[in-house]
């Protein structure tokens, strides 16, 4: 009996042990599942919180950055346009009358520009004249030029130039004090105003021959006043 009892007790212990193990394993499994679910919920909450906290600031910052980038881009375009494409220049004085009048506003282009004969150009300064001036190109580098004061005519490359744009005659009695070379040197241009009677231009030592690098650009259009509006050529 003792042996049987021992066996029974042993079996009972085994049974109890098995039951306890089963219960414990179930509890562990259930606890693990709950913990996993809670962790999952916590992770979801964390992700949700991260999304809520991070998304809005990032969106705001991105929006501001886009605006700043657009503004910088627009400013860059304006600067490049004003530097390499066109400018708006005020005419001061009557030396280009009646092609241009004082206070006319002229659109000037300078992108990839090289001065050519008959172009109206804006120049940063003369030899002894510190202010910007606007004149017409009469001859460029390599061209021969003769100012025939006696017969009141200008000869370029052996040809008397036709000047329907001038106010008066070729010189209108305005004889300069500058000694003009027979051939315009490299990198230089010879310029004159259309109103020859009053124009201070390359005939004068104050203006002299103009260095090409001092040419701001070519005048293209009179933009204002509107009654003067029009293309210059």
């Amino acid at each position: 009996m003792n042996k049987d009892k021992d066996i029974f007790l042993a079996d009972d212990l085994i049974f109890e042990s098995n039951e306890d193990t089963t219960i414990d394993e179930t509890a562990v499994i259930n606890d693990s599942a709950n913990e996993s679910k809670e962790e999952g919920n916590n992770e979801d909450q964390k992700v949700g919180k991260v999304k809520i906290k991070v998304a809005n600031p990032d969106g705001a910052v991105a929006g501001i950055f886009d605006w700043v980038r657009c503004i910088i881009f627009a400013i860059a375009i304006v600067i490049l346009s004003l530097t390499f494409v066109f400018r708006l220049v005020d005419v001061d004085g009557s030396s280009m009358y009646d092609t241009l009048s004082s206070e006319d506003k002229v659109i000037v282009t300078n992108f990839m520009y090289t001065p050519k004969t008959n172009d109206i150009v804006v120049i940063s300064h003369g030899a002894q004249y510190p202010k910007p001036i606007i004149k017409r190109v009469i001859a460029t580098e390599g061209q021969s030029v003769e100012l025939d004061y006696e017969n009141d005519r200008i000869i370029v490359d052996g040809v008397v130039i036709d000047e329907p744009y001038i106010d008066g005659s070729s010189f209108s009695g305005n004889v300069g004090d500058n000694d003009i070379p027979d051939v315009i040197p490299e990198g230089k241009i010879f310029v004159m105003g259309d109103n020859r009677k009053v124009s201070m231009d390359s005939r004068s030592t104050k203006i002299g021959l103009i260095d090409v690098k001092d040419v701001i650009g070519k005048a293209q259009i009179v933009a204002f006043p509107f009654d003067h509006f029009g293309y210059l050529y």
Side-chain angles (χ1 to χ4, degrees):
M1 291 294 294
N2 290 338
K3 185 176 182 180
D4 293 338
K5 186 176 181 180
D6 289 341
I7 293 172
F8 175 76
L9 290 175
D11 291 340
D12 187 46
L13 288 173
I14 290 171
F15 173 77
E16 289 178 357
S17 176
N18 289 338
E19 185 178 1
D20 291 340
T21 301
T22 303
I23 292 172
D24 289 342
E25 288 177 352
T26 303
V28 170
I29 291 170
N30 289 335
D31 289 341
S32 298
N34 291 332
E35 287 177 3
S36 298
K37 185 181 292 184
E38 289 177 359
E39 288 177 1
N41 292 334
N42 289 336
E43 288 298 323
D44 290 338
Q45 291 176 358
K46 288 179 181 178
V47 171
K49 289 180 180 179
V50 169
K51 287 182 179 178
I52 292 171
K53 290 181 179 179
V54 175
N56 289 337
D58 280 353
V61 171
I64 293 172
F65 177 76
D66 287 341
W67 274 105
V68 172
R69 184 171 59 183
C70 289
I71 292 171
I72 292 174
F73 181 74
I75 293 173
I77 290 296
V78 171
I79 292 173
L80 289 173
S81 296
L82 292 177
T83 303
F84 298 108
V85 182
F86 68 88
R87 297 185 182 185
L88 193 63
V89 174
D90 292 330
V91 176
D92 183 17
S94 59
S95 69
M96 285 297 293
Y97 186 81
D98 58 0
T99 304
L100 294 171
S101 299
S102 187
E103 298 184 0
D104 280 353
K105 293 185 182 296
V106 179
I107 295 175
V108 176
T109 60
N110 58 1
F111 182 68
M112 302 290 289
Y113 174 65
T114 300
K116 296 179 178 59
T117 301
N118 200 48
D119 287 354
I120 299 173
V121 294
V122 177
I123 304 156
S124 61
H125 63 278
Q128 302 172 31
Y129 189 83
K131 298 179 181 179
I133 54 177
I134 183 166
K135 305 291 177 184
R136 188 183 296 273
V137 179
I138 302 300
T140 62
E141 64 177 29
Q143 289 188 302
S144 64
V145 59
E146 179 185 351
L147 304 183
D148 186 357
Y149 288 108
E150 185 177 348
N151 296 299
D152 198 32
R153 61 183 184 173
I154 300 173
I155 303 170
V156 176
D157 289 339
V159 178
V160 177
I161 62 174
D162 182 28
E163 299 185 285
Y165 44 76
I166 64 173
D167 181 35
S169 63
S170 294
F171 304 110
S172 296
N174 183 4
V175 178
D177 61 350
N178 193 21
D179 186 15
I180 308 299
D182 293 335
V183 177
I184 303 302
E186 182 179 358
K188 302 287 187 178
I189 56 175
F190 177 82
V191 300
M192 298 178 73
D194 289 356
N195 189 1
R196 300 288 165 78
K197 185 175 182 178
V198 302
S199 175
M200 183 170 62
D201 46 44
S202 289
R203 293 172 292 173
S204 168
T205 54
K206 289 185 178 180
I207 303 299
L209 296 179
I210 300 299
D211 198 316
V212 172
K213 67 180 179 59
D214 294 328
V215 175
I216 294 173
K218 177 183 178 180
Q220 298 278 7
I221 298 171
V222 178
F224 188 83
F226 295 123
D227 58 342
H228 289 181
F229 180 85
Y231 187 55
L232 289 169
Y233 306 96

